Amino acid sequence: MKACLYMKRALVFLISCLCVTMEAMGNARNSSASSTSSVSPKVLNIGALFTFNSTIGRSAGPALTAAIRDVNSDSSILNGTKLNLILQDTNCSGFLGTFEAMQLMGKDIVAALGPQSSGIAHSISFIMNELHVPLLSFAATDPTLSAQHQYPYFLRTTISDHFQMYAVADLVSYFGWGEVVAVFVDDDYGRNGISVLGDALATKRAKISYKAALTPGASRTEIDSMLVGVNLLETRVFVVHVNPDSGMNIFSVASKLGMMNNGYVWIATDWLTSLLDSSEVEPETLELLQGVVALRHHTPDSDAKTRFATTWRGLKSKEATRFNTYALYAYDSVWLLARALNEFFASGGAITFSDDPRLQEADGGSKNARITSLRVFNEGSRLLQVLLRMNFSGAAGRVQFDSSKNLVNPSFDVLNFGGTGWRSLGYWSNHSGLSTVPPESQHTKPSNTSSKTSQHLYGVIWPGETTKRPRGWVFPDNGKPLRIAVPYRVSFPSFVTKDEGPLGAKGFCIDVFEAALALLPYPVPHQYILFGDGKRNPSYDNIVNDVVQDKYDAAVGDVTITTNRTRLVDFTQPYMDSGLVVVAPMQKVKSSPWAFLKPFTWQMWAVTGVLFLFVGTVVWILEHRMNAEFRGPPSQQLVTVFWFSFSTMFFSHRENTVSTLGRLVLILWLFTVLVINSSYTASLTSILTVQQLSSRIQGIDSLTTSWEPIGIQDGSFVYRYLVDDLHVAESRLRVLKGEDEYIRALERGPSGGGVAAIIDELPYVELFLSNTRCQFITVGQEFTKSGWGFAFQRDSPLAVDLSTTILQLSENGELQRIHDKWLPRERCSTLEEPTDDARLSLKSFWGLFLICGVTCVGALAFFFGRVCFQYNRLSADGGPVTPGSTEPAIQSRICGLFKALMDIIDRKETEIKDMFRQMREDSNREAEAGRDSNRPSS
C-alpha cells in the first residue's frame, strides 16, 4: 500500500510539472510563507469535478449551479460572503481528472465537490490529504473510500455501495437463492462493490458463483462474449453493477441472446434507475427491462425536495429535462458546505493558505511556479470537523454523518420493471431490512433485520411475465451430463452394482435416484460412472473425496451420511434409515435345573412366602370361632394353617370361609395370587425362550470390552468408526468381502479363525439374515442412527430439490414399492435384553402386597376390637370369665387377663352368644325378684 501511495504522489507531481497554465497564477501569488484573508471574505472559491456529458453529470451540473445561486441569494447564511463555483470536466478519465484537480488546487479553493468516479476519487484524495482540502463527493460510492486513515479528507455525501450490496444480499436471501453471477465494470467502483457483495452474501449462506468483469466502456462484442459464457453456467441470478452510460447495452445483448425470458433473474444496482430518472424513457428501453428488479436511493418527500423540483423546472435546460437522485445529493452538498462555512466563520475561523516546504524541496530551487502554486489550506482540518457535525434536512433527506463518515439511515427503493413503467416492491434500510413500509416511519422503532420472517415485499413480475419465483439455476446448457459416481459393489449387489443395460448400473439405490429425478420439474442429463474394480467393494470415503475434488458431480448409492462426510459434501434427505447392529450366531444353551426359580428375585420369593403364611394365619384367626374346619387339636390347626396358605396358590383349598372378614381377606388374597401366578408364568416363558436364542455376545458393550475378533464389511466406514470412536484395536478387526465370508467367519467363531460377531449397517444385516434364513441373530440394540443419502458437491441446488422429491416418494408409497422390489421383507428374531432383565422384583408388586397387608391388618384390628368388647361386657357382670376356674389367687393380673382373652378367642361364637343370653336371663330374674320383694303383703 505504501508503494502504491508513493507512486500516486509521484504521478501527481509529474502531472503538476505539465500544468503550464498554472505558471501565470503562481507568478501573481505572494511568495511568502502564508497568505491570510479576512475572517468573512466576500468571495470563496469552491471547486467541482465531474464529467459534464454523463448521466450523473447532466443532473449534477445544473443542481450545483442552482444550489450556488440559492445559497448566494439567501441573506441568512454566510453573512454576505458569496460562493464562486469553479467547474472542471474530468471526461471520465483518471489522468484528466487528476490534472483538473491540480488546476483547482492552484486556485485556493476551500473545498471540492465530486468527483463522480470512484477511481478518480482514489487518485485526487491523496492530493486533498496533503493540501488539507475537504473533498465532498456526491457520486463516488466505492466502499473502500470510507477508510478514514487512508482518506481522511474524503467525505461522501451520498450512500456508500456497502449498504447497497447488503440490500442486494437481502434480496437474494429473501427469494431463497444460493448463488449469483456478478456482472460488473472492472474498475475501483465495480471491483470493490462486488467484493462487499461477496461478504454480504456470505452472511446469508450464499455466494458469488462467477464474476463477469467488463472493461470500462466495453463494446457490444465484448458484452456478447461475456454473456454467452455466463449463460453456460448453472446460475440464473445476475447482479449487474456497471456504469449508467453503457449499462443498457448489457440488457440489449441479453435480450437478443434470450436471457430476458422465463427462468432468469436480473438485479440492477442504482445505476439503472439513475439512468432512467435522468431523461424520458423510450418504450423500446422499457421493453428490454421487463422483469428486472432494481434499487434506487430512497429520498423521502419533503418541502426541500419539492422546492428543488420547482427550481429544476425553472432551469430551462435542454440537456437536463429530468433529474436523478445524484442531483439531490449534489444540491445538498453545496448547502452542507455553505452551512459548515457559516458555522466556521461564526466560531472565528479564518481562510488561510500556506506554502508546503516539501513542494519547495521538490522544486529543487528553480522557483517553478507550477509546483509552488499548490498551497495548504491551514484551516482545512477544522472545516472538516464542522462538516462532520452538520445535521439538517436536505432535498435528499437527512444530512448527518455517523462515526464512519457515512450518511445516517441509508435506504433504497426496490423497483420492478414491467409494462410501460415500473412499480415499487417496497424498501430496504439498514434499520428494518426489506419492508413495504417507508423507512422514515420505522426509524423510531427497534431495529428488526435479523429475522427472515420480518422481511416483506410486494409480488414481483419476473422476466417472461410470470409471478412464479424462478429457481435461480438450471443445468448448464453446455452439453455435459452430470457425472455420477456409483459404487461397483461385490457384496449385497441388490443395493447397487454394475448393469449391462443403457444406464450401466442397477439396484435399489439407482431406482430410488431415477424415481426422484423423474419428479423434478426439469430434465437432468446424467451418466453413471462405476467406482471400483468389481473384485472388492470400493472405499466410500474415497468416493466422497473424489466428489469434493470435482472428479464427479455427485455420488449415488448406499452412501452413509456421517458427520465427517457432511463437512465435505451436501447430502439429500435420507432415503433409507440405517444404523449399526451386532450380528452373532445363534446358540442353544442347556437349561439350568433351577431355572424355575429365575422368574422372581430372592427378595420376591421371601416376601411372597411370608405373605402366604401371614394370610393363612389371619384367615385361621378370623374363622376359628365360627368355622368347625378351623378347630381341633393344636397340631391339626397348625397343619390347617400351612395347608390353607399354600393351597390357595393353586386355588385348591378345601376349607370354606364363613365369616365376613375372612371372606374379604380371602378375596383380595386370591386376586393377589392370580397376579403372581400369571406374572410367574409369563416371566418363566420369556426366560426359557430367550435362553434358546441367546448368544455369548449380548450387544456392542460386551463385544467391544472383550478381546475377540470382530468382522466388518469391506469398504465400510465402520472400520474407522470402531477404531477412532470406540477405540477398538485394529488387530481385532477382520475385513470380510461378501456374504459367504460372513457365514464362514461366524460359524468358525474366534477359536476356529473366525469372528465372535459382525458389526454392519442394518439394511445389509436384514438382507443377510433373510438370505441365510435367520441362521444368525442380531443382539442388543441398534447403537447408531444414520441414513443413506445422495452426495453432491457443496452448495449444489440439486441436493435441495432431490430432498423434496425423496419426501414425495416416501409420501406416495413409491419408496416402499422400490424397497419391496429389491429387498425381501422376512424378519428374524432379535435378542434385545439379557435374561436377568426378565426377572420380577418387589418393585413390580409392592403396591398389591401393600393393599393385601393393610386389609389383613385391618381385619385383625376389627376382630380383636370385637373380642375386647365382649371381654369387657363379660367382666362387667362379675364372676369368672371361665366357669370353674381354679387358678391360684397369686397369679399375676396380666397373665390372668391374657388367659381370659385367649379363652374368649378360643371359644366358639355360639358359646359366647349363649353366655350373653344367660347373662340377660339372670339379669331379668334378678330384676323380677327385686320387684317381688318390694311388694307389700296383703
Side-chain angles (χ1 to χ4, degrees), residues 48-52 54 56-57 60 88-98 113-125 135-145 151 154 156 158 161 185-190 192 216 243-245 326:
L49 289 163
F50 60 93
T51 300
F52 294 169
S54 65
I56 295 177
Q88 298 285 1
D89 190 356
T90 60
N91 288 306
C92 290
S93 170
F95 177 81
L96 292 178
T98 306
L113 303 173
Q116 70 189 65
S117 168
S118 297
I120 298 175
H122 278 281
S123 300
I124 67 175
S125 288
L135 178 62
L136 283 62
S137 178
F138 52 82
T141 57
D142 178 6
T144 62
L145 289 169
Y151 308 106
F154 178 85
R156 195 194 320 269
T158 186
D161 277 342
V185 60
D186 194 11
D187 59 9
D188 291 333
Y189 157 76
N192 296 330
N243 293 319
D245 298 289
Y326 290 104

Side-chain angles (χ1 to χ4, degrees), residues 733-805:
L733 302 182
R734 305 288 185 269
V735 177
L736 307 176
K737 298 180 180 180
E739 294 180 73
D740 292 338
E741 291 193 14
Y742 275 36
I743 296 173
R744 289 195 297 270
L746 289 173
E747 289 178 343
R748 290 175 181 175
S751 59
V755 296
I758 293 174
I759 296 179
D760 208 345
E761 295 182 74
L762 185 59
Y764 302 124
V765 170
E766 289 180 343
L767 183 58
F768 169 69
L769 296 181
S770 179
N771 292 340
T772 57
R773 298 187 177 182
C774 301
Q775 181 181 352
F776 306 96
I777 189 173
T778 60
V779 294
Q781 297 284 351
E782 185 179 351
F783 59 92
T784 65
K785 290 290 184 181
S786 60
W788 292 353
F790 304 128
F792 289 86
Q793 293 182 5
R794 274 293 195 189
D795 302 321
S796 172
L798 251 183
V800 178
D801 287 0
L802 279 178
S803 294
T804 303
T805 58

Side-chain angles (χ1 to χ4, degrees), residues 245-268:
D245 298 289
S246 58
M248 282 303 302
N249 290 334
I250 294 176
F251 292 108
S252 177
V253 175
S255 179
K256 291 182 178 180
L257 293 176
M259 298 175 66
M260 301 299 296
N261 297 327
N262 191 12
Y264 289 86
V265 177
W266 292 90
I267 300 175

Side-chain angles (χ1 to χ4, degrees), residues 472-622:
W473 72 279
V474 294
F475 271 93
D477 188 17
N478 53 16
K480 295 181 180 179
L482 202 68
R483 301 164 300 168
I484 300 177
V486 174
Y488 190 177
R489 292 194 59 87
V490 176
S491 62
F492 304 107
S494 298
F495 292 105
V496 59
T497 191
K498 182 180 178 181
D499 185 31
E500 299 299 333
L503 288 179
K506 65 179 181 179
F508 167 74
C509 303
I510 300 299
D511 281 6
V512 172
F513 184 72
E514 290 291 334
L517 288 182
L519 293 178
L520 292 176
Y522 49 86
V524 181
H526 60 283
Q527 63 175 356
Y528 295 119
I529 304 173
L530 293 174
F531 189 97
D533 55 10
K535 298 179 181 179
R536 58 181 299 181
N537 293 336
S539 170
Y540 283 65
D541 286 337
N542 290 342
I543 297 178
V544 172
N545 289 332
D546 283 356
V547 172
V548 176
Q549 296 173 10
D550 198 29
K551 295 181 180 179
Y552 305 100
D553 298 308
V556 170
D558 47 342
V559 183
T560 305
I561 304 173
T562 65
T563 302
N564 291 332
R565 291 173 182 173
T566 56
R567 298 190 181 105
L568 303 175
V569 295
D570 284 346
F571 281 96
T572 62
Q573 169 81 15
Y575 62 89
M576 169 74 88
D577 292 331
S578 181
L580 295 181
V581 293
V582 178
V583 182
M586 280 197 302
Q587 182 178 10
K588 289 188 177 182
V589 178
K590 292 182 180 181
S591 180
S592 168
W594 303 101
F596 68 92
L597 295 175
K598 290 186 177 181
F600 291 162
T601 61
W602 69 267
Q603 296 93 336
M604 181 67 181
W605 280 116
V607 173
T608 303
V610 170
L611 198 58
F612 268 101
L613 295 176
F614 176 67
V615 172
T617 302
V618 170
V619 172
W620 177 83
I621 293 173
L622 298 177

Side-chain angles (χ1 to χ4, degrees), residues 255-563:
S255 179
K256 291 182 178 180
L257 293 176
M259 298 175 66
M260 301 299 296
N261 297 327
N262 191 12
Y264 289 86
V265 177
W266 292 90
I267 300 175
T269 54
D270 69 286
W271 68 267
L272 179 58
T273 51
S274 298
L275 172 64
L276 300 180
D277 286 341
S278 301
S279 60
E280 295 294 335
V281 183
E282 298 178 358
E284 294 79 6
T285 301
L286 287 176
E287 186 65 27
L288 296 175
L289 301 175
Q290 298 296 302
V292 174
V293 175
L295 297 176
R296 178 175 62 188
H297 296 132
H298 176 69
T299 55
D301 293 334
S302 62
D303 294 339
K305 185 176 179 180
T306 302
R307 288 194 299 269
F308 176 81
T310 302
T311 301
W312 186 270
R313 286 192 294 269
L315 293 177
K316 306 297 184 181
S317 174
K318 295 182 180 180
E319 295 182 353
T321 57
R322 300 176 62 182
F323 63 90
N324 54 37
T325 55
Y326 290 104
L328 299 177
Y329 290 121
Y331 185 83
D332 286 346
S333 298
V334 175
W335 275 100
L336 169 66
L337 180 59
R339 290 173 182 270
L341 287 170
N342 188 63
E343 183 175 327
F344 174 78
F345 290 135
S347 62
I351 304 299
T352 62
F353 296 88
S354 63
D355 294 331
D356 190 341
R358 293 173 297 177
L359 294 180
Q360 300 290 338
E361 296 175 0
D363 186 38
S366 63
K367 305 299 181 180
N368 190 337
R370 289 170 297 185
I371 296 179
T372 58
S373 62
L374 301 176
R375 300 197 297 171
V376 178
F377 179 23
N378 295 328
E379 301 296 328
S381 177
R382 182 177 176 182
L383 177 59
L384 178 64
Q385 297 305 314
V386 176
L387 287 166
L388 292 174
R389 293 197 302 267
M390 288 292 98
N391 183 1
F392 66 96
S393 294
R398 174 63 53 185
V399 180
Q400 183 183 0
F401 299 95
D402 59 19
S403 58
S404 299
K405 297 196 303 184
N406 289 313
L407 286 176
V408 298
N409 303 327
S411 55
F412 292 88
D413 298 330
V414 183
L415 306 179
N416 180 210
F417 292 88
T420 59
W422 59 83
R423 62 192 184 92
S424 174
L425 300 178
Y427 310 91
W428 180 92
S429 73
N430 67 331
H431 181 79
S432 58
L434 297 172
S435 175
T436 55
V437 180
E440 55 270 17
S441 63
Q442 301 192 49
H443 291 154
T444 57
K445 301 177 182 179
S447 177
N448 189 21
T449 60
S450 58
S451 175
K452 187 176 181 179
T453 58
S454 65
Q455 310 292 293
H456 299 286
L457 288 177
Y458 293 118
V460 183
I461 300 176
W462 302 103
E465 298 183 357
T466 177
T467 58
K468 182 180 180 181
R469 181 190 68 86
R471 290 194 313 273
W473 72 279
V474 294
F475 271 93
D477 188 17
N478 53 16
K480 295 181 180 179
L482 202 68
R483 301 164 300 168
I484 300 177
V486 174
Y488 190 177
R489 292 194 59 87
V490 176
S491 62
F492 304 107
S494 298
F495 292 105
V496 59
T497 191
K498 182 180 178 181
D499 185 31
E500 299 299 333
L503 288 179
K506 65 179 181 179
F508 167 74
C509 303
I510 300 299
D511 281 6
V512 172
F513 184 72
E514 290 291 334
L517 288 182
L519 293 178
L520 292 176
Y522 49 86
V524 181
H526 60 283
Q527 63 175 356
Y528 295 119
I529 304 173
L530 293 174
F531 189 97
D533 55 10
K535 298 179 181 179
R536 58 181 299 181
N537 293 336
S539 170
Y540 283 65
D541 286 337
N542 290 342
I543 297 178
V544 172
N545 289 332
D546 283 356
V547 172
V548 176
Q549 296 173 10
D550 198 29
K551 295 181 180 179
Y552 305 100
D553 298 308
V556 170
D558 47 342
V559 183
T560 305
I561 304 173
T562 65
T563 302

Side-chain angles (χ1 to χ4, degrees), residues 884-918:
S885 175
T886 59
E887 290 292 331
I890 61 174
Q891 190 173 15
S892 67
R893 182 177 179 83
I894 296 176
C895 183
L897 177 62
F898 177 75
K899 288 184 177 181
L901 288 173
M902 293 303 297
D903 182 68
I904 292 178
I905 293 173
D906 191 54
R907 289 180 184 272
K908 293 182 179 180
E909 188 69 22
T910 56
E911 293 179 4
I912 298 298
K913 291 181 180 180
D914 290 343
M915 292 175 65
F916 282 123
R917 185 172 59 253
Q918 183 66 38

